[in-house]
Amino acid sequence: MPEYKWNPQSLLELSNGYWQTSVLHAAIKIDLFSVLDEQALRAEELADKIGADKDGLQRLLTALVAIELLVKKDDCFSCTRSAAVFLSRQSPLYLGNIIQHHRQLMESWAHLDEAVMTGQPVRAAYAGDDPEWRRNFLLGMHDLAMLLAPKLISQIDLGGRRRLLDLGGGPGTWAIHFCKKYPELQATVYDLPSSRSFAEETVACFGLEERVGFVGGDFLLEKVSGSYDVVWLSHILHGEGPQEVRIILDNVASVLEPGGLLLIHEFVLDDAGSGPLFPALFSLNMLLGTPAGRSYSGEQLFELLRDAGFKDTQNLDLDLPGSSSVIAAKV
């Protein structure tokens, strides 16, 4: 038999890979890792503690041991080191909020064929209608930014700049980290009014209330006011179609001072349209949930920036984990 990139076994593993994903999602939803980070427990003890069916819980625990997120010793279950660091609420590196957001997306992915055939989203927009959805999304964005911001910001020079606009900044995590690195910087987080409490709470945790403010509004419906010498746009453009992206970029150009810097942080497709994998998958995620959102290629973003009057456009050569990129441009 000739060798193939994919074989029956690997295709079946790809097909049922969501089973492992569902195990992780269920464990996060019932907060198993936080409980087992505090003490090792037998299945029946844990079932009594969280009010679960013993047999159902035993099966879940066995799967988590097989996945190597839990360990079992003398019939007691406890977290692996990785689970304790990233999946327990007691940890400052907790990723449970973004994982719960991923869980909320799963139902729509089961209807991907419908979205492909109709070109229409199959889930409701998540911008504020469901409080739990919004909370998981905002806190999940905070979790991810807490991991990535120190590494990314250390590679970006904002020396001499004084006023930063974090457009669509949600909980304000990026603005906070920019201000931590640059003591002379003042920042404004602009997002929907429903994000205000999350942003103010996050800013207060870092003691930056005097330097990071919040303005509520919708940058697709309202003109952003103020004057800034740097604007940060992190994972905003993929939620919109080209027409809306033009509105956003025009809005940014109107508040940037001459010589002002725009930084776009996005999942960027290659110009050949052949990947990378995560931006390609993320573009489908936008098809499922937005009327026109998508992942853009670098060439597409450069053209949109030129149309909005930006110049000196470049893809920054940064050492970043994952598949994100940062594009810089000036007015």
Side-chain angles (χ1 to χ4, degrees):
M1 176 181 283
E3 291 187 9
Y4 298 102
K5 167 68 175 177
W6 291 92
N7 57 52
Q9 183 61 35
S10 60
L11 285 169
L12 291 174
E13 289 173 357
L14 176 64
S15 178
N16 66 24
Y18 70 94
W19 293 2
Q20 290 192 57
T21 302
S22 296
V23 168
L24 173 62
H25 288 178
I28 289 292
K29 179 67 175 177
I30 60 181
D31 210 17
L32 279 187
F33 301 108
S34 299
V35 178
L36 294 176
D37 186 25
E38 295 176 335
Q39 57 184 325
L41 294 170
R42 295 192 300 274
E44 57 270 22
E45 294 173 325
L46 181 58
D48 289 341
K49 192 175 182 71
I50 67 173
D53 175 76
K54 179 188 172 183
D55 179 59
L57 180 61
Q58 179 76 58
R59 298 184 198 203
L60 181 62
L61 293 171
T62 298
L64 288 165
V65 171
I67 295 173
E68 299 182 0
L69 287 172
L70 295 181
V71 293
K72 183 180 181 182
K73 183 177 180 182
D74 299 328
D75 285 332
C76 288
F77 296 88
S78 60
C79 289
T80 62
R81 188 163 180 267
S82 296
V85 170
F86 299 113
L87 303 176
S88 168
R89 288 187 183 274
Q90 287 81 258
S91 171
L93 298 178
Y94 179 64
L95 290 175
N97 295 303
I98 191 62
I99 290 173
Q100 289 206 67
H101 175 63
H102 291 162
R103 178 178 179 270
Q104 292 170 315
L105 300 178
M106 279 192 70
E107 182 181 356
S108 64
W109 275 90
H111 299 277
L112 177 59
D113 57 318
E114 298 171 27
V116 168
M117 296 302 291
T118 66
Q120 299 298 315
V122 296
R123 66 172 180 260
Y126 50 74
D129 293 335
D130 183 331
E132 181 183 5
W133 183 294
R134 185 70 178 166
R135 178 175 178 81
N136 286 336
F137 175 73
L138 287 172
L139 293 181
M141 294 302 100
H142 172 70
D143 293 344
L144 293 178
M146 286 293 292
L147 287 174
L148 182 58
K151 182 175 180 62
L152 188 155
I153 290 173
S154 68
Q155 302 177 70
I156 293 178
D157 182 11
L158 294 187
R161 300 190 182 273
R162 295 292 184 268
R163 293 173 303 284
L164 178 140
L165 174 64
D166 186 356
L167 193 62
T173 316
W174 286 101
I176 288 166
H177 280 276
F178 276 115
C179 285
K180 282 180 64 180
K181 179 171 183 191
Y182 295 98
E184 71 282 4
L185 200 62
Q186 298 280 328
T188 298
V189 178
Y190 186 106
D191 209 320
L192 296 171
S194 56
S195 300
R196 179 182 293 275
S197 61
F198 296 96
E200 291 179 345
E201 180 181 346
T202 306
V203 171
C205 286
F206 287 86
L208 288 171
E209 299 95 322
E210 298 300 317
R211 295 177 54 207
V212 181
F214 183 91
V215 173
D218 186 332
F219 47 69
L220 287 175
L221 301 177
E222 307 166 25
K223 293 295 291 184
V224 180
S225 61
S227 179
Y228 304 91
D229 52 10
V230 58
V231 174
W232 174 251
L233 263 178
S234 180
H235 295 306
I236 300 300
L237 301 185
H238 64 235
E240 310 296 341
Q243 175 102 17
E244 291 74 26
V245 170
R246 290 186 180 93
I247 293 172
I248 295 170
L249 294 180
D250 286 344
N251 229 335
V252 169
S254 72
V255 298
L256 268 175
E257 298 175 354
L261 176 66
L262 169 60
L263 296 168
I264 297 173
H265 180 217
E266 272 295 347
F267 301 122
V268 179
L269 290 165
D270 61 42
D271 293 338
S274 57
L277 176 59
F278 190 81
L281 293 173
F282 200 86
S283 198
L284 288 172
N285 189 48
M286 292 298 97
L287 171 65
L288 290 168
T290 69
R294 65 200 61 211
S295 296
Y296 293 92
S297 69
E299 183 178 17
Q300 289 172 322
L301 289 173
F302 280 26
E303 181 178 353
L304 287 163
L305 285 163
R306 286 193 297 269
D307 290 346
F310 286 89
K311 58 187 180 182
D312 299 333
T313 306
Q314 59 177 316
N315 197 333
L316 299 183
D317 184 17
L318 304 181
D319 178 22
L320 298 180
S323 303
S324 62
S325 302
V326 175
I327 290 174
K330 293 181 178 180
V331 292

